[in-house]
Amino acid sequence: MGELKERMLRRQKDLAEGRHPSLELHEKDTIKWEVLYTRLLGMVQEGRETTRLISSSPTVREFGESVFCIFTPEGDVAAFSRGILLHFASFSATIKWMLNMDYEEDPGFKDGDIFCNNDPQIGGAHSADVATIQPVFYRGRLVAWVGGLTHVMEVGGTEPGGTSPSALSRYDDGLMFTAQKVGENDRFFKDYHINVSRNTRDGNWWILDDLAKLVGCVKMKKALVDLIEEYGLDYYETAVYEMIEEGRRFAVNKIRTVLFPGTYRTVNFYDVLNAEQPLRFQKDYCVHEPLEMTVTKDGRLTLDYDGLSSPGYHANNSSLICATGLHIYQLIQEVLYDGMFNAGVLGGLKVNIPENSVLNPDIQYACSIWATAKTAAGGCFQRALSRAYFAKGFREEGLASKAITSAVFAGGVDENGRLFSVVNNEMNSSGAAAASNKDGLDASNSVWNPEANLSDIEPFEPIWPLKWLGRGVQTDGGGYGKHRGGATIASLYVIEPPVKFVESGCFMSGDKVFLSAGTMGGYPAPARYRYTLVDTNFAEVAGQTDLPLPHEEGDPTDPDFARLLNGTLRRTPGQSASVQFKRYDLIYQTSGGGGGWGDPLERSPQVVVKEINRGLISPKTAERVYGVVAAKPSEDVPFVLDEEKTAGWREEMKKVRLKRAIPTREYVARARADILGGKFAPVVKETYNDCFQNSPRFLREYREFWDLPETFVGF
Amino acid sequence: MATRKTVWSGDVLRDLSDGNLDLQVLLEMQRGVKEDDRFEAMLAVEQGKVGWPEKILVPIGEHLYVVDKSGDKIVKCSCGHELGDYRQSWKNDAVVYVRDTEEALDEIYPGPRKCDVTWMHLREYYCPGCATLLEIEAVPPGYPIVFDFLPDLE
């Protein structure tokens, strides 16, 4: 067994058995220790910024889809940059995987080696997450690892853009390198980049990102060696483990301080609508993600996903590495944001994700659109955390369910005969979830990358044929509540110029189900969908100055683009496989809104009217959901609140609530009859049956709740 | 982590409890170190808000508390309505309106904005005493009622 592998296994055993290092160096000279930590953070941040500034990809440069880190020789995170926090766990997993697979012996580790991984089963979330990893040597000894990762806009696969909603197995996910040595002496192998170039639609995105990441890594390596020279290797190595230990102690103490002990339960569902897509396996899925979160008085946090759905032949599975990363980035953002930014954050956390589930599939399953499984589970975790904060009195923290995000991609052959492939990450600007004391921000939020940017449209317009007719915030686009969820971004594109071929699709789920749940009386954000308008008279209308062009959706039941233009209108799911478009076709795309918080009838009527006048809430929703009566005194002036009518209408709405509601016990008795009669849609029955098979506990609790006989094993 | 006492005034905590805290103060609070006695400070604020005598043990949601009623631990709404033993879901003693038709969903999620009622419906739980909307479940038909939170009060 190699020395590093032996060290890794010893350390894992020590931590599992509760043997933690002391903080001797910290206690001896705190300032020196803290300066070292800050300099490590500075290094990873500099690596990221260097890469971002020289990357050719707007996804990396504009949106900020990158992250850099420094690791211990055993693969534990010593310092982590801002960016895609999701990969906190995934980089570590790749290094540990290499050690477990005895890479020390073959291919061996040498100064200047470069390893690439985009296999989501051992690192990253999907094949578009391409990591560059290098060992760091000091006086001939491997003393650390550095790594950089970017989201690459084209990796092959069934569809352009690096992510493939029509992927039905791992083998559709695109070109993969499984922790492969791809360079020596700080140079990539020529044949590696030839491979990338010939097996992706536009290899430049991958190759240029590789070069940008290598610059960041080499810079970090040099800075780290200089730092070790300055501090001495013994001090550096001891201090790094102390930093992780300090992070662990902080995590346990913070959880104990801010979360109320108890057992919390939440559930989310997501849909995969493949039955009517142009795919070789046409089947719909309704995926069940239940969470039981336990907080103990001594600061331990356990997450149990017993009862999960099985993985499926669709793109929306998430690897275990990715699911683990999900919990870590949420914990960092929502609880441990003021702690140490290293492997210590794992200190108080235990996660149980059953094998052969959507969050832990075996190798055959596709993970291209991992984020659906992650977002649904993340919404469960977020609401459970929020209630734990709420109970403990820390109401400045906590959120309803985060929003699902989306993306539009396109590829084909441009007007000059060049292959192109682009994913536009503007749809990651979903609405943030509402909180107990504030609304969620509109078009602002990408939960796995807290330093993301919506990005300008100008860098995208020259590289793909989707041109913006409008980009804005969707009216009523967040979950209703006393504090409303942030509304989703919405864009309207027209295909222009006349390229030789263009295909386009989008992801993710949340069409037949609400995916971003509200909490404590707040409503979920609306369902997601895409409109396309094809065979249009756009050229004719655009050529006439007296005819208005559409720029937004308007009334969702009678959208502007179908009203102002001729053409064939189609509503397709929020996740739609790629199909061919032509010049002057239109695509209307949204992301997701955040869940709402609290009873909407408690929302300030003045704020509601202000938002009607800003186009964020429709007058109909103001009246039907918020109980607010407002009117325009005349056509050209804003809406004005009618306080008296509002007060009366809200009282009336409360009477209606009690009139049409029934006692819950009565509802349960009625619903039981439906269960005994099996009166559910086939896809819902299939979901229950799958989860009953996966989890004896779920089946037992189902029987107990509905008072079903022991003979009941499914529908 | 050193022990920290609450630095926030009763008025600030009251605004926080009401959900109306000034945004700048809220941000300051988010950036600050969390206090060890916040729970007790907020309990005092909550007790001062309600018009009934039972001692609040822990808030479990907007308007909802576990209280000590003559030695029994029960759930109570801020209006005073009682919702049963805390070891079972308070939803059992609430009233519920289920949006399980297209018409009911269209009322608030027009056209393409609604879910498919054969896949999912909304259960809106109200307090029978004050008609406050306390929780919404978005689940497929036939899903058991979710027991959101069992606090560890032992």
Side-chain angles (χ1 to χ4, degrees):
Chain A
M1 186 187 294
E3 184 203 337
L4 292 176
K5 182 176 178 181
E6 199 176 335
R7 279 177 62 177
M8 177 185 73
L9 295 176
R10 195 166 56 237
R11 180 162 164 78
Q12 284 171 350
K13 190 165 184 279
D14 284 348
L15 293 178
E17 293 174 359
R19 285 188 294 277
H20 302 289
S22 67
L23 299 182
E24 193 182 336
L25 294 181
H26 182 263
E27 284 155 13
K28 195 172 169 189
D29 187 344
T30 307
I31 301 294
K32 182 180 177 184
W33 191 97
E34 293 282 356
V35 168
L36 175 63
Y37 175 63
T38 307
R39 287 177 67 178
L40 289 174
L41 288 183
M43 273 178 214
V44 289
Q45 197 57 26
E46 190 179 351
R48 179 178 186 242
E49 286 304 303
T50 302
T51 299
R52 194 177 67 78
L53 291 170
I54 59 177
S55 170
S56 67
S57 160
T59 292
V60 177
R61 201 176 59 244
E62 296 282 316
F63 184 67
E65 281 283 89
S66 64
V67 73
F68 278 75
C69 0
I70 296 171
F71 306 89
T72 66
E74 306 89 56
D76 290 326
V77 175
F80 207 78
S81 78
R82 295 194 292 272
I84 325 174
L85 286 181
L86 170 71
H87 299 300
F88 199 98
S90 66
F91 265 119
S92 267
T94 307
I95 296 169
K96 288 171 194 268
W97 190 87
M98 290 196 290
L99 298 182
N100 272 320
M101 297 295 284
D102 298 315
Y103 272 36
E104 271 178 283
E105 290 149 26
D106 180 11
F109 301 132
K110 293 199 306 288
D111 198 359
D113 282 354
I114 309 170
F115 292 86
C116 170
N117 184 70
N118 70 330
D119 176 346
Q121 289 281 345
I122 64 166
H126 51 171
S127 52
D129 292 330
V130 182
T132 301
I133 298 171
Q134 290 199 279
V136 182
F137 282 80
Y138 178 75
R139 297 184 183 175
R141 183 174 151 199
L142 194 156
V143 293
W145 296 86
V146 294
L149 180 149
T150 59
H151 178 108
V152 174
M153 288 217 288
E154 165 58 32
V155 296
T158 56
E159 278 145 319
T163 41
S164 306
S166 65
L168 301 176
S169 77
R170 169 186 172 92
Y171 315 103
D172 302 323
D173 270 351
L175 182 62
M176 272 191 218
F177 292 86
T178 300
Q180 188 166 323
K181 184 172 170 180
V182 294
E184 282 180 347
N185 301 317
D186 295 331
R187 291 180 73 88
F188 288 105
F189 294 142
K190 182 176 166 184
D191 54 359
Y192 158 62
H193 276 161
I194 288 174
N195 185 1
V196 169
S197 179
R198 292 184 63 81
N199 289 296
T200 62
R201 294 167 182 84
D202 181 353
N204 286 330
W205 296 129
W206 184 315
I207 293 166
L208 293 173
D209 269 11
D210 261 357
L211 297 174
K213 279 179 289 185
L214 184 60
V215 172
C217 284
V218 169
K219 214 170 169 178
M220 286 198 307
K221 277 199 301 176
K222 185 175 181 318
L224 190 57
V225 167
D226 290 348
L227 188 84
I228 293 171
E229 185 70 32
E230 183 185 332
Y231 278 78
L233 183 58
D234 285 349
Y235 185 92
Y236 168 80
E237 287 194 322
T238 307
V240 162
Y241 293 112
E242 284 195 12
M243 287 167 195
I244 294 172
E245 169 59 10
E246 170 71 3
R248 186 194 68 81
R249 292 184 190 185
F250 180 90
V252 171
N253 202 17
K254 182 88 186 271
I255 289 167
R256 184 189 59 74
T257 303
V258 302
L259 304 181
F260 197 92
T263 304
Y264 302 79
R265 282 192 169 193
T266 50
V267 66
N268 258 358
F269 292 83
Y270 69 85
D271 52 357
V272 184
L273 304 178
N274 282 355
E276 294 180 14
Q277 303 275 344
L279 305 175
R280 62 187 190 280
F281 309 142
Q282 293 176 306
K283 176 177 163 51
D284 288 342
Y285 295 83
C286 178
V287 179
H288 177 221
E289 294 197 328
L291 169 66
E292 182 176 277
M293 179 179 97
T294 309
V295 181
T296 63
K297 287 176 178 167
D298 59 355
R300 280 176 292 134
L301 184 64
T302 304
L303 306 175
D304 188 351
Y305 284 95
D306 183 38
L308 279 172
S309 288
S310 300
Y313 292 107
H314 55 70
N316 303 67
N317 306 289
S318 162
S319 71
L320 180 63
I321 301 296
C322 175
T324 307
L326 139 78
H327 295 101
I328 294 170
Y329 81 65
Q330 281 200 241
L331 205 55
I332 290 173
Q333 286 188 71
E334 291 162 31
V335 184
L336 306 177
Y337 48 80
D338 48 351
M340 305 292 284
F341 228 46
N342 60 31
V345 299
L346 299 163
L349 181 66
K350 186 179 171 195
V351 185
N352 169 37
I353 298 177
E355 286 182 11
N356 198 33
S357 65
V358 283
L359 293 176
N360 188 3
D362 65 35
I363 195 165
Q364 64 178 306
Y365 293 101
C367 294
S368 198
I369 320 292
W370 58 276
T372 319
K374 177 239 35 139
T375 306
C380 292
F381 186 29
Q382 195 158 25
R383 279 180 288 138
L385 276 178
S386 300
R387 201 175 293 277
Y389 262 131
F390 185 94
K392 203 72 186 278
F394 294 100
R395 298 194 194 174
E396 69 273 28
E397 306 288 353
L399 298 162
S401 268
K402 62 184 66 179
I404 186 138
T405 54
S406 180
V408 183
F409 58 84
V413 185
D414 72 12
E415 61 275 31
N416 301 313
R418 185 185 68 93
L419 283 168
F420 70 92
S421 173
V422 173
V423 62
N424 173 8
N425 294 95
E426 69 172 346
M427 288 296 150
N428 283 329
S429 304
S430 53
S436 81
N437 273 260
K438 65 183 178 70
D439 292 345
L441 293 175
D442 300 320
S444 64
N445 186 244
S446 165
V447 288
W448 63 85
N449 184 350
E451 209 180 67
N453 193 322
L454 168 65
S455 93
D456 293 332
I457 63 172
E458 285 77 8
F460 283 93
E461 289 199 318
I463 59 174
W464 74 346
L466 274 68
K467 300 295 183 287
W468 277 260
L469 287 174
R471 173 158 94 169
V473 171
Q474 189 184 53
T475 304
D476 297 327
Y480 316 126
K482 174 179 180 177
H483 296 291
R484 69 167 176 82
T488 172
I489 187 175
S491 281
L492 181 64
Y493 314 97
V494 62
I495 305 293
E496 171 66 16
V499 293
K500 294 185 174 172
F501 175 78
V502 57
E503 59 173 311
S504 180
C506 62
F507 53 85
M508 287 175 260
S509 315
D511 182 320
K512 287 187 182 288
V513 299
F514 293 122
L515 220 162
S516 304
T519 193
M520 303 192 199
Y523 281 87
R528 290 189 53 250
Y529 50 93
R530 179 180 74 157
Y531 274 130
T532 60
L533 189 75
V534 300
D535 301 327
T536 72
N537 62 340
F538 178 84
E540 185 188 323
V541 173
Q544 296 185 38
T545 54
D546 57 336
L547 293 178
L549 280 173
H551 299 290
E552 58 189 7
E553 182 183 32
D555 180 349
T557 62
D558 182 22
D560 283 2
F561 27 89
R563 200 166 42 77
L564 299 173
L565 299 174
N566 295 333
T568 304
L569 182 70
R570 293 194 188 111
R571 177 196 182 283
T572 66
Q575 177 166 307
S576 292
S578 191
V579 292
Q580 188 178 354
F581 288 92
K582 60 184 176 305
R583 192 180 191 187
Y584 301 136
D585 288 344
L586 267 66
I587 299 170
Y588 173 73
Q589 179 74 33
T590 68
S591 185
W597 185 300
D599 186 346
L601 290 188
E602 294 181 1
R603 187 168 179 79
S604 156
Q606 287 79 11
V607 171
V608 172
V609 174
K610 201 170 149 187
E611 296 202 322
I612 296 175
N613 288 321
R614 289 180 61 203
L616 293 169
I617 292 177
S618 68
K620 209 178 269 183
T621 295
E623 187 178 327
R624 292 179 178 182
V625 177
Y626 292 105
V628 169
V629 183
K632 281 182 163 214
S634 63
E635 196 50 41
D636 54 349
V637 298
F639 280 85
V640 175
L641 173 67
D642 187 327
E643 288 190 36
E644 196 177 325
K645 281 188 180 167
T646 295
W649 178 229
R650 284 187 164 186
E651 281 308 307
E652 184 59 30
M653 283 179 74
K654 286 193 171 184
K655 285 180 193 160
V656 171
R657 282 179 172 181
L658 294 183
K659 195 174 167 188
R660 64 187 183 184
I662 58 172
T664 302
R665 292 180 203 282
E666 191 180 322
Y667 164 71
V668 169
R670 285 187 201 176
R672 183 172 180 273
D674 289 340
I675 288 164
L676 292 172
K679 291 181 185 171
F680 305 131
V683 69
V684 172
K685 286 186 191 178
E686 194 175 331
T687 300
Y688 283 130
N689 290 341
D690 174 47
C691 297
F692 293 152
Q693 284 212 332
N694 290 345
S695 167
R697 179 188 173 188
F698 181 61
L699 173 60
R700 188 185 71 244
E701 290 184 354
Y702 195 88
R703 273 197 209 120
E704 284 171 5
F705 181 84
W706 294 111
D707 192 19
L708 302 175
E710 280 294 313
T711 52
F712 176 85
V713 290
F715 295 103
Chain B
M1 197 188 293
T3 300
R4 288 266 310 209
K5 296 283 179 196
T6 289
V7 295
W8 309 107
S9 70
D11 287 346
V12 166
L13 293 181
R14 167 96 189 197
D15 286 347
L16 180 69
S17 164
D18 290 343
N20 300 323
L21 188 60
D22 175 80
L23 188 59
Q24 289 308 315
V25 181
L26 184 71
L27 292 174
E28 201 182 323
M29 195 178 267
Q30 285 177 330
R31 290 177 189 130
V33 176
K34 302 303 186 201
E35 318 93 278
D36 291 293
D37 62 348
R38 174 74 75 84
F39 177 67
E40 290 75 17
M42 282 298 275
L43 271 195
V45 168
E46 298 293 338
Q47 197 76 56
K49 279 170 61 176
V50 296
W52 30 262
E54 289 88 351
K55 185 184 173 195
I56 295 174
L57 301 176
V58 59
I60 57 170
E62 294 281 1
H63 296 280
L64 291 172
Y65 306 91
V66 176
V67 303
D68 184 334
K69 185 181 181 185
S70 310
D72 292 332
K73 298 184 181 82
I74 62 162
V75 178
K76 209 167 160 81
C77 180
S78 56
C79 72
H81 193 90
E82 295 178 1
L83 293 159
D85 189 291
Y86 86 106
R87 290 167 297 182
Q88 60 150 24
S89 176
W90 58 267
K91 292 171 187 168
N92 291 327
D93 290 283
V95 293
V96 63
Y97 171 59
V98 185
R99 290 187 193 269
D100 56 1
T101 64
E102 291 208 353
E103 296 71 30
L105 282 165
D106 257 325
E107 188 182 31
I108 54 175
Y109 293 102
R113 303 276 179 96
K114 62 180 172 293
C115 63
D116 182 325
V117 290
T118 65
W119 285 57
M120 176 170 274
H121 54 214
L122 293 184
R123 296 178 187 150
E124 300 177 357
Y125 295 94
Y126 304 113
C127 170
C130 61
T132 298
L133 177 55
L134 297 170
E135 195 63 67
I136 298 173
E137 288 176 349
V139 290
Y143 201 77
I145 290 173
V146 180
F147 186 10
D148 304 309
F149 178 28
L150 178 63
D152 181 356
L153 297 176
E154 300 307 318

